Amino acid sequence: MPRGRLRIYLGAAPGVGKTFAMLSEGARRGVRGTDVVVGFVETHNRPKTAALVEDLEVVPRKLMDYRGATFSELDVDAVIARAPEVALVDELAHTNVPGSRNDKRWQDIEEILEAGIDVISTVNVQHLDSVNDVVEQITGVPQRETVPDEVVRRADQVELIDMTPEALRRRMAHGNIYAPEKVDAALGNYFRVGNLTALRELALLWLADKVDDQLDRYRADHDIRRTWEARERVVVALTGGPEGDTLVRRAARIADRSKGADLLAVHVTRSDGLTDSDPANLTRQRALVESLGGSYHQVAGTNVPDAVLDFARGVNATQLVLGASRRGRVAQLFSRGVGVTTTARSGPIDVHLVTHEEVNQGRRWKALRAAWGVPAKRRKAGFVLAVVLLPLLTIVLSHLRGQVTLASDILIFQAAVIGVALLGGLFPALFAAIAGSLLLNYYFTPPIYRFTVHDPEALFQLVVYVVVGVTVSTIVDMTARKSRQVSQAQTDSQILSTLAGDILRGDADGGRDYSALAAILERLRETYALECVTLLERDPDEPATPVTNRDPDSWIIVATAGGTPCTSPDDGESDILVDDTLALVLRGRALPASDRKVLEAFAAQAAVALRHQRLAEEAEQVRPLAAADKMRTALLNAVSHDLRTPLASAKAAVDSLRSPDVSWSEEDQDELVSTAAESLDRLDRLVANLLDMSRLQAGSLGITAQPVAAEDIVPRALADLEPLESADVETAIPEGLPEMVADPALLERVLVNLIANAVRYNPPEGPVLVTASSHADRLELRVIDRGPGIPHEDRDRVFEPFQRLGDRDNDTGVGLGLALSRGLTEAMGGSISIEETPGGGLTMVVDLPTHRREQAEPAKRAEPADPAASDPAASDSAELAEPNLADPVMLDRVAAWRDRIGHDHDRG
């Protein structure tokens, strides 16, 4: 059976009309004869939305019991059994009631789609995983229900339901979205114009990305390689030269002229791994591209124009920015260059050739150095070998004249040329080839001792000798240079790879703790056996001076590795200017020019590490402010309702008692006074929790630790509970447990919070059980319920302030109970952990240190009379105090509780 098709209406905010659009589409399809049913729709009591539902067939919902309340959910089996052509299912990101077959509604929809039924659904942009944190930053409201972006991206159709912020606020003010009593709060909080505008932009950008993905897939499926100018994309090609900064800025200006245009930078590396690009320049240019909002890419290829154009066509680029050729005029006569070749092959892609300071400067000196290829000592040795070897061969072969033919003489001289090429490189080999041809002509080609050749065949042999000698010398020299380049590249790669690993680990010396910046400097010092490596920064308080200023007073030491740090660029044998403000100074020995690229890469990475370090320091300074702001926002959101409710109840009761217009009976007066007292007690607990949490965070909570017995503290905690709560609690505290070291008042608060929380979630058919046991020098108090439990991934979150994970029916408290309990327990030297109750439910474990009298009073300790007491194994087992099952009362209570909760897990 073919899979059904999914259509999603995406909204920027609640109330834009997603559900109305979904129902309208269902009605239109129904009129055309399509079999349409409503699987699940929330009308939110909006009359126009409810009117559309009346004209459609509605599949009955599944009723589910949860925490003593009944909820209705999508009945997947009923929809599949009904087998319509189209099912309308609202709220894609909805979380199902615990106990449902699937956790999320989008998983229910997947089952319906697999059954071959088309589905139309709705979702708001704030529920998408990828933008969930951004929405929280914008609105200050966390979204608990989310849906993976991939689920929405896989949809066959996604349609944006859009509305201007002003129009949406008008709908809100007219009461078309929320009830009248909620309108003012909504308009002043979530539905502010700025929030709605930002959410609208998020929805538009997310949908634009999906459209881009669809376009890319369509072009790939249909093998379309020509550019479609649906959206401006500017690609800038970087060679690693100094002109790259100019090109990036020029490309960014071109992209800025088109609102929303993308900026992409690409660098082509040679497939053989050899490159003459400057890694320091590329690192700086990559940072520049990313700071301008672009992205950096690197591709491999042997033909630069083809690689650049393949990349540009692959990203559907509309414009390409290249630098004008740096090659000289003579070189351009032999090759058109990358810019001209790329322009000729670009097709519909516009190409911008940008001039820069390096234009026509050529690479003369660089090319000349590359042509020499070998160190000066070897070149000199090559010339010496040619000067010595060629005359010596001439003398030896002259004595063998008549025994050795001219062809043999030429081959022997050819071998000498190759030997000179291997030793001294190209130019000594060229000298040897030309000198050898003259010696062969003068001494061995008839007529001898004259620079003439009568025999055409001999002339041909000499010409071939010169051509072969030059060719072989060039190839041998090129191979030797490539081998050296490969060796150098491997060495550089290994150094840079080690550098990257050190940066990631922040560790450069046998496990010592280094920051990324310190790791870079230490690795550089060790790699090149330097005495000291120092990163200097120009003093910002000094007057603006050129970066080449060497005055020590103009520089500040940022970081150093090794001995005495350098105070200015003149203090070292080598220095590398990273940018206008930073310089890396090396002291210990002069490094060869061939290491310059790697040193510049170290310097560039040091600059990046310094910036990241400073950003991290700034973020660390801002983090307390952000945490305080987040706490303040959460406090206002939670307290605005939870403090107001008991205060309003108490005020209403007191106002009623003071009313002169009503004569209250004595029973009514008692009820009103009781209501006011309960509300004020509840308000007192909320305020006390808030004050205690603030003291914990400020570190000013006073702790009075003393021995406390579990059999004393648990009843006191139960006495502090509401009567209805304490009636649902049973205790099983064994005798003979050691005392805990804790603050009695604070421990009582902890137990009250935990037991009240367990009672709230425990099903009515079974009580909450409080037990205790000791292990070694720790005592554990367990509060056990049979409620729905908490998913493993959310167990740390429940201890955060103002959290109510999935608490649908709880409208009391500000979500501080568990957070405060953990804080108080840790302040007393203990801990709180969460375990699963066997057979289902949650167990909160309070772990505290014990106080042992035998340790406090060693003089009273006597020799054990029981032989088992002297046995270490028996002593260890005696350390574990379990409920006394020999006590009939204790045995009956534990057995009754176990029978009540069941033990299916034992039978399994």
Side-chain angles (χ1 to χ4, degrees):
M1 178 180 296
R3 175 184 168 90
R5 297 175 61 83
L6 175 62
R7 179 172 184 173
I8 296 176
Y9 287 100
L10 175 67
V16 294
K18 305 180 305 301
T19 303
F20 189 87
M22 178 186 71
L23 293 171
S24 299
E25 176 65 18
R28 284 193 295 271
R29 295 193 184 193
V31 170
R32 294 196 299 266
T34 304
D35 184 12
V36 180
V37 300
V38 174
F40 189 98
V41 167
E42 285 289 356
T43 63
H44 300 288
N45 297 321
R46 297 166 188 167
K48 294 182 179 180
T49 304
L52 287 175
V53 177
E54 294 177 357
D55 298 331
L56 295 168
E57 178 186 350
V58 179
V59 176
R61 301 182 184 183
K62 178 188 293 186
L63 299 180
M64 301 196 61
D65 294 329
Y66 177 64
R67 296 178 185 169
T70 301
F71 298 91
S72 60
E73 292 288 3
L74 170 66
D75 193 335
V76 179
D77 293 330
V79 173
I80 295 176
R82 170 61 177 77
E85 295 180 66
V86 179
L88 309 180
V89 183
D90 205 6
E91 297 182 358
L92 182 70
H94 171 79
T95 301
N96 293 330
V97 172
S100 301
R101 180 162 59 191
N102 296 313
D103 294 334
K104 294 286 189 176
R105 182 163 294 162
W106 64 264
Q107 296 170 324
D108 294 338
I109 291 176
E110 285 292 319
E111 291 190 24
I112 298 175
L113 292 172
E114 291 297 332
I117 302 171
D118 294 347
V119 176
I120 303 177
S121 187
T122 64
V123 69
N124 281 331
V125 68
Q126 68 262 28
H127 295 299
L128 298 175
D129 271 340
S130 63
V131 299
N132 183 257
D133 56 338
V134 179
V135 172
E136 182 177 355
Q137 293 173 6
I138 294 171
T139 64
V141 179
Q143 301 294 329
R144 302 302 181 198
E145 294 185 327
T146 60
V147 59
D149 287 48
E150 185 58 29
V151 174
V152 184
R153 291 189 185 278
R154 287 200 309 264
D156 300 280
Q157 297 181 58
V158 178
E159 182 174 339
L160 178 66
I161 305 300
D162 192 19
M163 182 177 289
T164 64
E166 293 76 14
L168 184 57
R169 285 171 60 86
R170 282 197 299 271
R171 288 196 64 196
M172 175 72 69
H174 293 159
N176 294 332
I177 301 177
Y178 290 157
E181 62 270 14
K182 298 181 179 180
V183 170
D184 292 339
L187 290 175
N189 292 281
Y190 193 89
F191 285 82
R192 294 194 299 268
V193 173
N195 289 355
L196 297 177
T197 302
L199 292 173
R200 188 185 186 198
E201 183 176 11
L202 279 176
L204 291 169
L205 290 175
W206 190 93
L207 190 60
D209 288 340
K210 175 175 171 56
V211 173
D212 281 343
D213 293 341
Q214 290 177 327
L215 180 60
D216 291 342
R217 285 198 300 269
Y218 180 85
R219 284 165 50 84
D221 293 342
H222 293 78
D223 195 24
I224 299 173
R225 299 182 60 81
R226 64 182 184 276
T227 299
W228 286 6
E229 299 185 15
R231 181 177 181 179
E232 289 288 344
R233 285 186 175 85
V234 182
V235 172
V236 53
L238 302 177
T239 65
E243 75 282 355
D245 300 57
T246 303
L247 301 183
V248 169
R249 292 189 176 92
R250 178 61 173 163
R253 290 196 295 271
I254 294 173
D256 287 340
R257 293 173 187 168
S258 301
K259 188 66 175 178
D262 294 334
L263 173 63
L264 303 93
V266 60
H267 171 68
V268 180
T269 59
R270 291 171 52 178
S271 300
D272 58 9
L274 302 178
T275 177
D276 56 0
S277 60
D278 192 326
N281 288 338
L282 286 175
T283 302
R284 184 180 67 254
Q285 290 155 15
R286 177 174 186 168
L288 178 60
V289 168
E290 292 173 348
S291 68
L292 294 173
S295 58
Y296 178 86
H297 306 268
Q298 190 162 312
V299 298
T302 55
N303 187 290
V304 175
D306 288 344
V308 170
L309 288 173
D310 286 343
F311 174 82
R313 294 187 183 110
V315 298
N316 200 25
T318 56
Q319 302 188 61
L320 183 59
V321 178
L322 303 172
S325 178
R326 290 184 291 172
R327 299 158 67 246
R329 293 193 180 102
V330 175
Q332 293 181 29
L333 294 176
F334 297 95
S335 174
R336 295 191 300 175
V338 173
V340 177
T341 304
T342 304
T343 303
R345 302 178 185 176
S346 62
I349 302 177
D350 297 335
V351 179
H352 302 264
L353 284 177
V354 180
T355 59
H356 48 83
E357 295 179 353
E358 302 293 324
V359 172
N360 291 331
Q361 295 298 313
R363 304 184 183 182
R364 292 183 294 273
W365 295 109
K366 186 175 182 180
L368 183 58
R369 289 195 301 271
W372 286 107
V374 295
K377 290 183 178 180
R378 286 186 55 184
R379 289 198 302 273
K380 293 178 180 178
F383 280 109
V384 171
L385 178 63
V387 171
V388 173
L389 183 59
L390 295 180
L392 182 61
L393 287 176
T394 303
I395 295 172
V396 172
L397 293 176
S398 297
H399 286 83
L400 297 175
R401 187 180 290 115
Q403 302 178 26
V404 179
T405 63
L406 177 61
S408 299
D409 294 336
I410 293 175
L411 289 176
I412 293 173
F413 270 82
Q414 192 77 70
V417 171
I418 294 174
V420 172
L422 291 174
L423 176 62
L426 177 62
F427 290 100
L430 292 178
F431 169 77
I434 296 173
S437 66
L438 295 176
L439 291 174
L440 286 170
N441 184 11
Y442 190 80
Y443 288 100
F444 302 102
T445 304
I448 61 174
Y449 307 124
R450 294 179 60 184
F451 289 106
T452 59
V453 180
H454 289 168
D455 187 357
E457 183 178 353
L459 178 62
F460 176 75
Q461 290 176 341
L462 288 176
V463 172
V464 170
Y465 159 76
V466 174
V467 172
V468 171
V470 172
T471 303
V472 171
S473 300
T474 304
I475 294 174
V476 170
D477 178 75
M478 185 181 300
T479 303
R481 285 191 289 112
K482 291 293 184 182
S483 176
R484 288 189 294 274
Q485 290 178 10
V486 169
S487 177
Q488 183 65 38
Q490 289 177 343
T491 302
D492 294 347
S493 298
Q494 185 175 1
I495 293 173
L496 295 176
S497 175
T498 305
L499 169 63
D502 291 339
I503 294 173
L504 292 175
R505 294 189 302 270
D507 179 11
D509 186 15
R512 291 168 55 188
D513 186 16
Y514 278 91
S515 66
L517 177 57
I520 292 171
L521 300 185
E522 181 65 21
R523 178 59 61 188
L524 176 58
R525 187 190 68 80
E526 289 183 352
T527 301
Y528 293 101
L530 299 172
E531 177 185 337
C532 177
V533 177
T534 307
L535 182 64
L536 299 177
E537 184 177 28
R538 194 172 61 183
D539 189 349
D541 296 330
E542 289 290 321
T545 56
V547 72
T548 54
N549 180 28
R550 325 292 281 189
D551 185 3
D553 294 335
S554 300
W555 298 90
I556 298 175
I557 298 174
V558 176
T560 186
T564 305
C566 304
T567 57
S568 76
D570 285 338
D571 282 355
E573 281 75 15
S574 303
D575 63 89
I576 301 171
L577 300 178
V578 183
D579 53 29
D580 293 340
T581 61
L582 293 174
L584 188 66
V585 185
L586 316 176
R587 184 172 63 198
R589 65 186 182 91
L591 297 177
S594 58
D595 292 331
R596 185 77 182 183
K597 284 185 179 181
V598 177
L599 294 176
E600 290 176 346
F602 270 95
Q605 292 301 324
V608 172
L610 175 62
R611 294 188 182 97
H612 287 179
Q613 178 176 305
R614 289 179 173 173
L615 288 174
E617 292 172 354
E618 294 175 2
E620 194 65 31
Q621 294 175 358
V622 173
R623 185 173 289 110
L625 299 177
D629 183 68
K630 183 178 180 180
M631 183 70 71
R632 188 181 302 110
T633 302
L635 176 63
L636 292 175
N637 291 336
V639 172
S640 61
H641 173 267
D642 295 303
L643 288 183
R644 186 185 303 166
T645 300
L647 186 61
S649 299
K651 187 175 184 301
V654 173
D655 288 344
S656 298
L657 289 172
R658 294 181 58 194
S659 175
D661 300 332
V662 181
S663 297
W664 301 100
S665 65
E666 185 174 347
E667 292 181 359
D668 292 337
Q669 289 179 1
D670 290 342
E671 184 176 353
L672 289 173
V673 170
S674 177
T675 300
E678 291 176 1
S679 299
L680 292 175
D681 287 342
R682 178 178 161 195
L683 182 63
D684 180 67
R685 288 196 298 269
L686 291 174
V687 173
N689 283 343
L690 290 171
L691 292 176
D692 285 344
M693 180 59 69
S694 65
R695 292 191 188 102
L696 276 175
Q697 293 179 340
S700 60
L701 184 67
I703 304 293
T704 304
Q706 62 187 62
V708 180
E711 57 267 26
D712 294 335
I713 199 69
V714 172
R716 287 165 53 185
L718 294 178
D720 287 344
L721 293 172
E722 298 289 341
L724 293 178
E725 293 177 336
S726 59
D728 293 332
V729 180
E730 290 189 2
T731 61
I733 308 297
E735 297 179 354
L737 288 177
E739 294 178 322
M740 299 168 283
V741 178
D743 187 305
L746 298 184
L747 180 56
E748 183 180 337
R749 290 280 304 280
V750 170
L751 291 176
V752 168
N753 285 335
L754 296 182
I755 296 172
N757 191 70
V759 170
R760 184 180 302 121
Y761 295 116
N762 200 58
E765 60 270 13
V768 170
L769 180 65
V770 180
T771 67
S773 62
S774 66
H775 303 269
D777 59 348
R778 311 293 293 185
L779 189 139
E780 293 181 349
L781 293 168
R782 279 179 163 79
V783 180
I784 307 169
D785 68 61
R786 296 286 295 175
I790 299 175
H792 191 274
E793 62 272 13
D794 291 333
R795 290 186 178 179
D796 286 335
R797 289 178 54 202
V798 298
F799 292 108
E800 297 177 5
F802 313 111
Q803 296 291 328
R804 300 175 184 163
L805 299 181
D807 195 0
R808 300 183 179 203
D809 59 347
N810 177 26
D811 59 356
T812 64
V814 294
L816 279 178
L818 293 180
L820 180 60
S821 297
R822 168 173 276 189
L824 295 176
T825 304
E826 291 178 350
M828 293 185 290
S831 64
I832 292 183
S833 59
I834 297 178
E835 297 177 356
E836 291 185 7
T837 302
L842 194 71
T843 299
M844 304 295 293
V845 182
V846 180
D847 182 287
L848 288 165
T850 59
H851 174 81
R852 296 189 175 276
R853 294 185 178 88
E854 61 269 26
Q855 294 177 0
E857 304 176 20
K860 296 182 180 180
R861 185 177 301 168
E863 293 294 326
D866 186 355
S870 60
D871 181 13
S875 177
D876 290 342
S877 63
E879 196 76 17
L880 178 62
E882 291 293 337
N884 183 9
L885 298 183
D887 184 352
V889 176
M890 180 65 67
L891 181 62
D892 290 342
R893 295 180 68 182
V894 174
W897 186 82
R898 286 180 174 173
D899 291 339
R900 191 175 287 115
I901 65 173
H903 283 278
D904 295 338
H905 61 286
D906 291 335
R907 293 196 298 271

